[in-house]
């Protein structure tokens, strides 16, 4: 399934507002999105969107559970 337009930008924006530098699980990111009034299908969808940006905009920490850090260019 192709990434829906704007999904990554919505995630990036909410994470920037949260100003949290620690890697988060997809569930934690989904909770932040919902707390900011952003509707998202599921934690799985969050993981899919972020996983597709791995290596360019996202660092994926392959632990159990996976954790994600959006790269903003200042790290």
């Amino acid at each position: 399934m192709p990434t829906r337009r704007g999904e990554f930008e919505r995630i990036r924006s909410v994470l920037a507002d949260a100003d949290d530098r620690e890697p988060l699980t997809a569930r934690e990111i989904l909770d932040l999105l919902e707390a900011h009034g952003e509707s998202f299908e599921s934690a799985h969808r969050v993981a899919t969107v972020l996983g597709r940006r791995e290596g360019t905009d996202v660092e994926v920490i392959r632990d159990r559970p996976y954790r994600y850090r959006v790269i903003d260019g200042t790290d």
Side-chain angles (χ1 to χ4, degrees):
M1 172 187 303
T3 303
R4 292 179 189 94
R5 172 161 276 174
E7 286 180 322
F8 178 72
E9 289 75 17
R10 288 171 36 216
I11 293 171
R12 182 194 295 261
S13 175
V14 166
L15 291 176
D17 286 348
D19 196 33
D20 192 345
R21 292 283 184 209
E22 294 299 313
L24 301 172
T25 66
R27 168 49 64 190
E28 291 167 333
I29 294 168
L30 179 64
D31 291 344
L32 275 174
L33 288 163
E34 290 174 350
H36 283 83
E38 292 288 344
S39 177
F40 238 82
E41 284 177 32
S42 65
H44 181 265
R45 184 67 192 155
V46 170
T48 299
V49 170
L50 294 177
R52 288 186 175 156
R53 303 295 287 253
E54 180 179 13
T56 56
D57 298 309
V58 176
E59 176 187 4
V60 177
I61 295 100
R62 297 185 186 300
D63 206 351
R64 291 186 187 250
Y66 276 28
R67 296 188 181 276
Y68 303 86
R69 179 184 294 132
V70 174
I71 302 165
D72 66 3
T74 61
D75 291 339

